[in-house]
């Protein structure tokens, strides 16, 4: 049973915004402090990624575990008594009240996230998703160090020197004249 009235619950949920969230601010401050430069919510890219790093051709999405259904698989949907059911994960607890609405909403969010990642990949962009639970104080530093490692690997992979072999024709002897176009 919900401890709030429907109007209180509506007001609480409506007050949650998608930009400048605490987990996003943690990632942004860490990146800036470690010399990584970025842009925010690029409007021309699919999904308006939270952080866009053009130098790395990488988009970073900082997702809330509840809103994006972290570790809740779409395949675990089962029908019980005519109602859809998704099992909870450790960090994503689906409310008991109005459960069908939340299951459908989380499912739509997961499908949209997957579609956006495919669109970005087709455009040649890398996508990195950081989950809210990965930014808890115990594992935060490990997560952010892993992010830096991944960004550096992407940069080196995309900007590595490619060795080209120059096809040799008949080698010229130093004393030999180079033929010109007029035949002399």
């Amino acid at each position: 049973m919900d401890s709030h009235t429907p109007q209180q619950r509506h007001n609480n949920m409506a007050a949650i915004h998608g930009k400048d969230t605490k987990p996003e601010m943690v990632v942004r401050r860490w990146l800036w402090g470690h010399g990584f430069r970025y842009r925010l919510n690029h409007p021309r890219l699919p999904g308006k990624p939270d952080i866009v790093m053009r130098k790395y051709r990488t988009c970073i999405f900082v997702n809330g575990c509840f809103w994006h259904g972290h570790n809740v698989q779409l395949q675990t949907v089962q029908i019980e008594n005519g109602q859809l059911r998704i099992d909870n994960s450790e960090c994503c607890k689906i409310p008991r009240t109005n459960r069908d609405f939340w299951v459908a909403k989380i499912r739509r969010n997961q499908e949209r996230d997957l579609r956006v990642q495919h669109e970005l990949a087709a455009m040649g962009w890398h996508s990195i998703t950081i989950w809210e639970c990965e930014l808890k104080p115990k594992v935060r530093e490990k997560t952010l160090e892993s992010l830096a490692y991944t960004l550096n690997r992407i940069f080196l992979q995309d900007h590595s020197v490619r060795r080209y072999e120059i096809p040799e024709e008949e080698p010229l002897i130093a004393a030999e004249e180079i033929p010109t176009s007029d035949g002399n």
Side-chain angles (χ1 to χ4, degrees):
M1 179 97 177
D2 196 359
S3 61
H4 295 292
T5 66
Q7 186 59 41
Q8 288 173 323
R9 177 63 59 205
H10 173 77
N11 292 340
N12 288 348
M13 298 310 268
I16 300 171
H17 296 286
K19 293 182 182 179
D20 301 329
T21 61
K22 286 180 185 178
E24 187 181 332
M25 295 303 291
V26 166
V27 173
R28 285 168 36 185
R29 285 186 187 114
W30 191 89
L31 285 171
W32 195 267
H34 286 79
F36 293 98
R37 299 301 179 245
Y38 53 83
R39 296 287 176 252
L40 301 177
N41 310 103
H42 197 289
R44 287 189 230 142
L45 289 174
K48 294 184 183 177
D50 299 321
I51 299 170
V52 177
M53 304 180 84
R54 293 177 63 192
K55 176 179 177 180
Y56 303 89
R57 287 197 62 79
T58 300
C59 298
I60 300 174
F61 295 92
V62 183
N63 288 347
C65 292
F66 171 75
W67 297 103
H68 296 270
H70 187 212
N71 288 338
V72 175
Q73 302 298 322
L74 293 176
Q75 291 79 18
T76 60
V77 175
Q78 302 167 357
I79 297 183
E80 278 186 2
N81 303 330
Q83 295 181 354
L84 292 175
R85 184 173 81 84
I86 293 182
D87 296 329
N88 291 331
S89 69
E90 289 181 22
C91 57
C92 178
K93 307 277 191 264
I94 300 171
R96 290 189 201 129
T97 57
N98 206 6
R99 194 165 180 89
D100 291 337
F101 168 79
W102 289 111
V103 166
K105 179 165 188 57
I106 291 169
R107 175 179 245 195
R108 284 192 313 269
N109 288 347
Q110 287 179 331
E111 289 169 352
R112 183 189 65 235
D113 292 344
L114 194 59
R115 187 188 75 242
V116 164
Q117 287 178 357
H118 286 293
E119 289 174 12
L120 287 168
M123 295 170 66
W125 286 80
H126 303 277
S127 293
I128 297 174
T129 301
I130 298 177
W131 294 97
E132 178 183 17
C133 65
E134 295 172 340
L135 295 172
K136 299 217 183 229
K138 288 183 180 178
V139 294
R140 177 180 302 160
E141 197 62 32
K142 182 180 175 184
T143 300
L144 296 173
E145 290 294 333
S146 174
L147 173 63
Y149 177 79
T150 303
L151 289 171
N152 288 324
R153 293 267 310 193
I154 288 170
F155 183 78
L156 290 174
Q157 206 172 34
D158 289 351
H159 295 86
S160 64
V161 176
R162 291 176 175 74
R163 296 180 186 253
Y164 295 102
E165 290 186 26
I166 300 173
E168 280 194 39
E169 298 176 7
E170 295 179 28
L172 296 175
I173 301 175
E176 189 177 336
E177 289 185 22
I178 300 175
T180 59
S181 60
D182 62 348
N184 294 344

